[in-house]
Amino acid sequence: MNQMTGTQIPEEDRLRADLYNFMGLILSGPPDRMLLDQCAGLNGDDTELGQGIATLAKLARLTKPATVEAEFNRLFIGLGRGELLPYASYYLTGFLNEKPLALLRQDMAARGLARADTVFEPEDNIASLMEMMGAMIAGRFGSPATLDQQKTFFGKHIAPWAGHFFSDLEGAKTSVFYAPVGKIGRAFMEVESEAFRLSGT
């Protein structure tokens, strides 16, 4: 699927989409040297979100790809399973491949989205949901989603569980590099939830 050209979205939405896409990327697999170098160049402010970004940048400067890969595997893959199961179905029902996944697939089909042939994980994993939200905001697969469409998707598929997942990631016993990723995600979900609440749509 190609990036749409000529689609103008407000700067604030472009930044939101960029952060969703970044979260999707960093949670989809262990970062390589290039992504670690990009993380190392980030700057954060005094907000909780900014503090998470600053900590992540510092760790990225000190961390080797092999170290992060081992951490990623302990967190999300493990022997049999990792420390965390990053799926909406699991967080909301205690089981994988449950109703939240079926509802997400219905909404994806309605928007013309489908899981890539090379991806075998259920679509309700946190990385995919972050990527979908970023794509909707930026209009990567068509027209940018309206604020109401964004709010509906976020409210149905992300808000009920993502903050809890990110808190768990922040505090997971094997989290080092991924602890500030959890902090960034948790703070970002709080900002988004509040912004949607105030939007009044």
Side-chain angles (χ1 to χ4, degrees), residues 31-41 65:
D32 58 15
R33 180 77 264 163
M34 183 186 297
L35 184 53
L36 283 174
D37 288 346
Q38 289 172 342
C39 291

Side-chain angles (χ1 to χ4, degrees), residues 1 11 21 39 56 125 131 143 152 162 191:
M1 298 179 202
E11 176 72 3
N21 289 328
C39 291
L56 181 66
N125 73 79
E131 188 180 318
S143 299
T152 298
V191 168

Side-chain angles (χ1 to χ4, degrees), residues 2 41 47 77 104:
N2 296 324
T47 64
I77 299 168
L104 175 62

